[in-house]
Amino acid sequence: MSTTAVTGEGRVTGSPRRPGGSGGSGGSGRSLQRQTRAGWLFVTPMIVILSLFLILPIAMALWVSVSDWTGRGSPFSSDVGFVGADNYTPLLVEEGLSRQDFMISMRNTFYYVLGVVPLQTVLALTLAVIVNQRFLKGRTFFRTAFYFPSVVSSVAISLVFLFLFTGTGAVNQTLGLVGIDGPVWFSDARGLLHLAGDGLGLWSLDSPPDALTGTDVAGLSLWEWFAGPSVAMSAIMLQVIWTTAGTFMLMFIAALQNLSADVEEAAMVDGANRWGVFRYVVIPHLRPAILLVLTLGIIGTWQVFDQMYVMTQGGPAKTTLTPAYLSYQAAFNQQQWGQGAAIAFILFALIFALTSIQRYVLRDKDESAARKAAKRQRVAMLNERMES
Amino acid sequence: MTIEGNWIKGAVTNDYPDLDYTVAELPEGPAGPGTLLFTQCWGIAADSDAQAQSVELVDYLTTVDQQMAFADAFGVMPSRESAADQYADAYPEDAPFIAGAEYGRGPIGAAGMEQVIADLNSKLEDLGGADVPGVMEEYDSNAGSVLGQ
């Protein structure tokens, strides 16, 4: 038995075939009608709840994002006018403070996602594989310990991290033991890429190259675009990786337990070493779980809000500003409800686009190839039949 | 030295009762004397059923007597010019604050200015390394675009 056959089998057990469907239960037309009615009856509560608490608020927010609602009274009252894309243009097209802030928040969150998503996925996978060892003592303890941060409120964790990362906090004390003079994390606005370039001698922080500072793209200079996450943002990233890795570890464990031991043993009999088993048996088996974790990671990280609200309020020097926090600030602090809603919808569009791209890039190529081949065969058969 | 309003008096008497200090006006700049003045406001809801009564209440709270009562209780300076003399008599050590009322300016409270001031503040956080004329220019153009609307 070759390894590819093993993975093929693993996938079949991973996605059980759908049960027989209507086979046998169809009966006469009348009973089918009754069943349909009963079905609708049973889903009605959910439909009502979803439309009341999900669809209606989303529709309302969409309307607010194209209206001049000031936050007083109902957004559907007759004094509220339709303003078209007026709430969107200051964020995307018009030069000014709104666009500058929005682009800064986009830049910050981009680096944040780029750092958090891969690291939390790798960490979660590593933890899951370790905790899933059959012969590990105290597995339950470690599972609970790693999962614990996910259960604790993010506000409480943020407060603890505020103390850990103060200028004289535990982190800097530890760094001090090995002779590193740690930064004042949450008031350090310097970007990591700026610092790296400075360290490598590519440029100096005090006099950035004119080629970068002179060129503006969407209201920010290239120098600012390539700042990287600030030191303050990196501290938040560390916290989020630490917190969420536990949640995703649980998903990986669930997927790993679905992989029966004999499959791994069979691979070993075929001569695969431990790394080979991991690389060619476990990882392909985990593909759906990895896809899920990456998707949830991208969606969750682009919406990051709690940490900024509790710890930094967008500072220092706006380097922890994120679209979600900016949207909150625009609506609730500056009473620009339309613009706040517009930011939220741009963020939604962005997450939707990124998730679609990511799903397309990480799609199961064997499976989609097989599906295409099957389709081609069907078409060919149809053509044959029509010709004959 | 610290630049503060007279609300600092309460904190000083509470936390540092032995601190020996005097209050002085800000030194005059090239464009004449200047300081920041601002006041906390009473808000009356536009949709309130009891609007007239609310206005009456606020009128009463801003009379000279009431303003002096606030000053006695919190150490803030009264919001009415007609109470200035009474305040200066009661608290001669705070006379420089009252003197500042002659030439002080309030913050710009126009809609949209909050964002502009927040932006200026975020840039001042990095004052050591900041390009100050550039920051002022940006503030000027941002404020201009908000106020010009």
Side-chain angles (χ1 to χ4, degrees):
Chain A
M1 195 194 260
S2 75
T3 26
T4 43
V6 169
T7 58
E9 238 176 50
R11 195 172 297 127
V12 169
T13 46
S15 54
R17 284 196 196 85
R18 229 174 276 167
S22 61
S25 64
S28 67
R30 235 180 85 195
S31 92
L32 192 73
Q33 207 180 9
R34 243 178 58 196
Q35 275 193 9
T36 317
R37 216 179 300 146
W40 278 108
L41 196 69
F42 279 118
V43 292
T44 305
M46 206 56 219
I47 292 178
V48 170
I49 289 172
L50 278 185
S51 14
L52 202 61
F53 293 106
L54 198 75
I55 298 169
L56 192 68
I58 291 176
M60 251 171 114
L62 188 63
W63 161 245
V64 168
S65 83
V66 291
S67 77
D68 58 0
W69 188 53
T70 56
R72 269 188 55 217
S74 161
F76 295 124
S77 77
S78 54
D79 327 328
V80 179
F82 175 73
V83 295
D86 276 9
N87 288 319
Y88 289 86
T89 45
L91 295 168
L92 299 172
V93 195
E94 275 168 38
E95 202 168 312
L97 209 49
S98 299
R99 188 176 71 163
Q100 179 208 301
D101 284 355
F102 184 64
M103 291 301 164
I104 288 179
S105 77
M106 281 290 165
R107 175 202 65 185
N108 295 339
T109 318
F110 172 75
Y111 287 118
Y112 173 84
V113 174
L114 207 63
V116 170
V117 172
L119 282 178
Q120 79 186 8
T121 311
V122 170
L123 182 64
L125 184 57
T126 316
L127 289 179
V129 170
I130 293 172
V131 169
N132 201 43
Q133 302 288 323
R134 262 172 282 279
F135 307 108
L136 181 76
K137 276 188 183 151
R139 286 203 285 174
T140 329
F141 169 76
F142 284 115
R143 274 185 210 176
T144 318
F146 293 145
Y147 189 64
F148 198 66
S150 312
V151 190
V152 180
S153 135
S154 63
V155 173
I157 292 180
S158 299
L159 288 176
V160 172
F161 268 69
L162 267 185
F163 286 114
L164 286 178
F165 280 92
T166 51
T168 53
V171 172
N172 277 1
Q173 303 262 5
T174 316
L175 288 177
L177 290 181
V178 290
I180 301 172
D181 194 13
V184 186
W185 293 86
F186 285 117
S187 41
D188 199 329
R190 292 173 302 168
L192 287 194
L193 289 184
H194 281 174
L195 286 173
D198 191 63
L200 294 171
L202 289 178
W203 52 63
S204 145
L205 271 184
D206 302 322
S207 58
D210 290 339
L212 289 179
T213 49
T215 329
D216 272 18
V217 177
L220 283 190
S221 68
L222 281 181
W223 173 248
E224 285 186 69
W225 279 113
F226 290 119
S230 70
V231 176
M233 185 60 115
S234 332
I236 296 182
M237 284 160 69
L238 287 176
Q239 180 205 328
V240 172
I241 292 168
W242 178 74
T243 318
T244 47
T247 322
F248 294 137
M249 176 195 74
L250 213 63
M251 294 178 187
F252 281 133
I253 290 179
L256 279 172
Q257 286 180 345
N258 224 354
L259 179 68
S260 65
D262 24 322
V263 176
E264 280 180 62
E265 276 164 23
M268 290 228 197
V269 169
D270 279 345
N273 56 14
R274 290 189 69 130
W275 170 249
V277 171
F278 182 70
R279 172 69 189 79
Y280 295 106
V281 179
V282 177
I283 295 282
H285 172 77
L286 287 180
R287 178 187 267 282
I290 294 174
L291 192 72
L292 174 71
V293 166
L294 286 177
T295 310
L296 289 178
I298 290 178
I299 294 174
T301 45
W302 271 101
Q303 294 177 340
V304 58
F305 174 80
D306 318 10
Q307 283 78 12
M308 284 66 198
Y309 180 75
V310 176
M311 296 160 95
T312 58
Q313 288 84 43
K318 293 191 177 173
T319 55
T320 61
L321 206 59
T322 65
Y325 187 71
L326 194 67
S327 163
Y328 160 79
Q329 231 181 8
F332 290 91
N333 293 348
Q334 291 155 7
Q335 306 295 316
Q336 292 176 322
W337 297 86
Q339 205 173 77
I343 295 173
F345 276 98
I346 297 173
L347 183 63
F348 164 73
L350 182 87
I351 293 175
F352 188 79
L354 284 176
T355 315
S356 314
I357 293 173
Q358 175 246 349
R359 287 190 73 91
Y360 177 77
V361 171
L362 291 182
R363 74 195 182 282
D364 194 331
K365 280 165 191 121
D366 298 341
E367 204 173 89
S368 61
R371 215 180 296 139
K372 257 184 213 155
K375 196 177 168 193
R376 227 172 311 153
Q377 213 174 5
R378 266 203 312 276
V379 173
M381 269 170 67
L382 264 177
N383 283 345
E384 248 172 59
R385 218 176 284 165
M386 275 159 77
E387 274 165 24
S388 63
Chain B
M1 188 199 87
T2 177
I3 300 179
E4 279 291 356
N6 46 0
W7 51 83
I8 196 71
K9 209 167 76 177
V12 170
T13 33
N14 258 343
D15 299 339
Y16 304 97
D18 304 327
L19 187 76
D20 188 22
Y21 71 98
T22 49
V23 181
E25 287 175 63
L26 276 175
E28 211 168 297
T35 187
L36 178 69
L37 276 183
F38 76 92
T39 177
Q40 305 278 316
C41 296
W42 296 103
I44 296 169
D47 298 336
S48 167
D49 295 332
Q51 222 181 55
Q53 288 100 311
S54 307
V55 173
E56 261 173 53
L57 174 67
V58 172
D59 277 342
Y60 170 71
L61 289 171
T62 47
T63 54
V64 173
D65 281 351
Q66 288 301 313
Q67 285 295 304
M68 279 310 290
F70 277 113
D72 293 335
F74 306 114
V76 293
M77 134 185 170
S79 65
R80 298 190 74 117
E81 282 178 19
S82 46
D85 291 338
Q86 211 176 328
Y87 181 79
D89 285 346
Y91 303 100
E93 70 278 11
D94 279 357
F97 286 120
I98 288 288
E102 291 289 320
Y103 51 81
R105 286 158 192 261
I108 310 169
M113 269 311 279
E114 198 177 346
Q115 206 183 359
V116 177
I117 291 169
D119 185 63
L120 176 66
N121 280 339
S122 84
K123 280 169 183 149
L124 291 182
E125 280 175 37
D126 188 30
L127 192 58
D131 147 39
V132 177
V135 169
M136 292 318 294
E137 247 168 62
E138 260 174 73
Y139 169 72
D140 223 40
S141 74
N142 286 336
S145 74
V146 165
L147 298 176
Q149 276 167 8

